[in-house]
Amino acid sequence: VSQSRYLVDKIRVQFLKVGYNHTSSGTWNTSDAIMTMAVNKAIANTSCAAISMSFRASSAFTGFKNALINAKVNGRGGKGIPLFASSGNDGASSFTQAPGAWPEVMAVGSSNSTNTRSSFSNYGTNLFAAAPGSSILTTDRTGGKGYSVNVDPSLDAVTYFNGTSASCRAMAGVAASMILVSPTLTEPQVRTILAQTSRKLGGYNYTSGKSLELGYGIVDQNAAVAAAIAGVTPTPCYRDWE
């Protein structure tokens, strides 16, 4: 309990706005320059332990991609910043959208309460691993502008939602926890520990350690942080970055 409380007290989240012209349907605009500036801001923050990207971007954003490569290789004083992106919510057996499908980034899918793939979660060979993303409790606006209205006023400020956006943020938080307890970890070491400590659940075929449905499995924060504390040197996994 004391270790969990320590992690909660020490980890901070910085939100960077990368869009404009938002609509009520949830669409918005951005540009290569805006996305690049956001990544560069994260690189400039020497305390940045992970980058979470719950959106789709144009594959033509070459400046953005180059900035991500720079973050992965040179961030954190040369140790590298782990990069995470949502796999998407189309229920598709493959996905190619940026940044999740880019090899520099770890694409995160959604698992549910039965430890299987959420029906909406994109999956396939580009998937790195999964984290809970079904029926996630989150804060909500109160009153009629909220996403849900509860009879009990004490519950009016919370709601449940589904999406790989939740999964992506959860895994980024695990990576940040690992770096917090072991600051010398490099990005390749974080990636490998996450792959090797994720739980191979769901009854899927984990050929070469991976399944199409959940990638390396469902992230296990306890096991990942324990491995980081132990200072293990895991065998590298080469699928995602060559």
Side-chain angles (χ1 to χ4, degrees):
V1 174
S2 59
Q3 180 66 40
S4 298
R5 181 165 296 178
Y6 171 78
L7 294 173
V8 170
D9 288 344
K10 295 297 181 180
I11 294 176
R12 297 292 182 267
V13 178
Q14 181 178 15
F15 296 95
L16 298 179
K17 184 177 180 180
V18 295
Y20 59 93
N21 288 343
H22 294 73
T23 69
S24 58
S25 63
T27 62
W28 45 279
N29 297 104
T30 188
S31 69
D32 192 16
I34 291 173
M35 304 294 283
T36 301
M37 286 190 292
V39 177
N40 287 339
K41 183 176 179 64
I43 296 173
N45 181 355
T46 57
S47 297
C48 179
I51 294 177
S52 173
M53 297 172 284
S54 297
F55 53 77
R56 299 186 184 190
S58 170
S59 59
F61 285 178
T62 56
F64 173 47
K65 184 172 185 178
N66 289 334
L68 289 177
I69 294 174
N70 185 33
K72 174 185 168 58
V73 176
N74 300 314
R76 298 176 54 238
K79 293 184 287 292
I81 300 174
L83 311 172
F84 301 90
S86 306
S87 69
N89 304 321
D90 308 303
S93 59
S94 64
F95 58 96
T96 59
Q97 76 272 6
W102 286 343
E104 301 82 12
V105 177
M106 288 172 270
V108 186
S110 173
S111 62
N112 58 32
S113 60
T114 64
N115 290 322
T116 57
R117 179 182 65 86
S118 301
S119 60
F120 56 80
S121 180
N122 290 350
Y123 58 107
T125 56
N126 285 332
L127 186 68
F128 177 78
S134 291
S135 299
I136 302 300
L137 184 66
T138 186
T139 54
D140 189 17
R141 293 173 293 184
T142 58
K145 293 185 178 180
Y147 290 95
S148 63
V149 178
N150 292 283
V151 176
D152 184 348
S154 66
L155 299 177
D156 195 36
V158 297
T159 189
Y160 291 89
F161 82 105
N162 303 313
T164 54
S165 291
S167 310
C168 177
R169 297 161 193 168
M171 192 169 293
V174 174
S177 299
M178 295 164 60
I179 290 172
L180 176 62
V181 300
S182 185
T184 61
L185 282 176
T186 64
E187 188 278 342
Q189 288 175 320
V190 170
R191 179 183 289 251
T192 300
I193 290 174
L194 286 173
Q196 294 187 346
T197 58
S198 291
R199 296 177 294 164
K200 307 295 190 284
L201 300 175
Y204 302 118
N205 179 15
Y206 286 88
T207 303
S208 300
K210 290 190 70 177
S211 69
L212 292 175
E213 295 82 3
L214 296 177
Y216 285 110
I218 301 174
V219 67
D220 185 332
Q221 183 176 27
N222 184 61
V225 170
I229 292 173
V232 297
T233 305
T235 303
C237 56
Y238 295 103
R239 174 257 174 258
D240 300 278
W241 175 256
E242 300 174 351

